[in-house]
Amino acid sequence: MDNNQFLKQIFKPENFSKDELEIIFSQFKKVEFDKNEYFIREHKIANYYFFLESGFARSYAIDFEGNDITTKFFTASDIIIDWHSYFLKTPCKEYIQATTKCVAWKIYFDDFMKLFKIESFREVGRTRLVSNYFELKNHTVSMITDQAKQRYLNLVEHQPDVIHNVPLKHIATYLGITDTSLSRIRKEILKQSK
């Protein structure tokens, strides 16, 4: 994939002038992460965000008992960002870590602000923010209203690649269940599909 091919999927050329695209592309830097490497660490201020070109990542927080709890999965074309830290300049409360080798495109806050004068760029950002909000809200409500099996089936439906590329222990914490419960649910679904 040529250097700008991926960014053209995010910033569709039909929505921008050639000059605008050149300005946008010049502000992003291609970066690679090895498995288990961090995009963002807790207690740091995130002065940048990423578009994930390939690979899988997750955000997680450490609860009051010291447990590692997954809060979100990131797959190709997702934006990897700590919204609060990025815009409010507060320390991150989560870690964001590669669960596989990843390729991403990084932009710093100051460079992002230079692009904000481009109306179509602002629209892409607004759309991403709203989409992230709805995803978070749906997951939060699902944790309250859905049985664990339904939460797993929702993940399979909406992010099937996660199931095959992320350790089950991370999926279990994301669903709010134990590894043992997840194994039981998966066996039950397999048995029903036969």
Side-chain angles (χ1 to χ4, degrees), residues 15 23-24 28 41 73 88 106 125 139 148 165-167 169 182 184:
N15 297 329
I23 293 166
I24 291 168
F28 283 87
R41 287 182 178 272
F73 294 112
L88 302 178
K106 181 178 187 175
H139 180 65
N165 292 284
V166 172
K169 65 182 179 180
L182 179 57
R184 181 184 47 75

Side-chain angles (χ1 to χ4, degrees), residues 135-147:
E135 182 183 334
L136 175 64
K137 185 69 172 173
N138 286 339
H139 180 65
T140 303
V141 171
S142 177
M143 292 293 284
I144 297 165
T145 61
D146 293 333
Q147 298 271 337

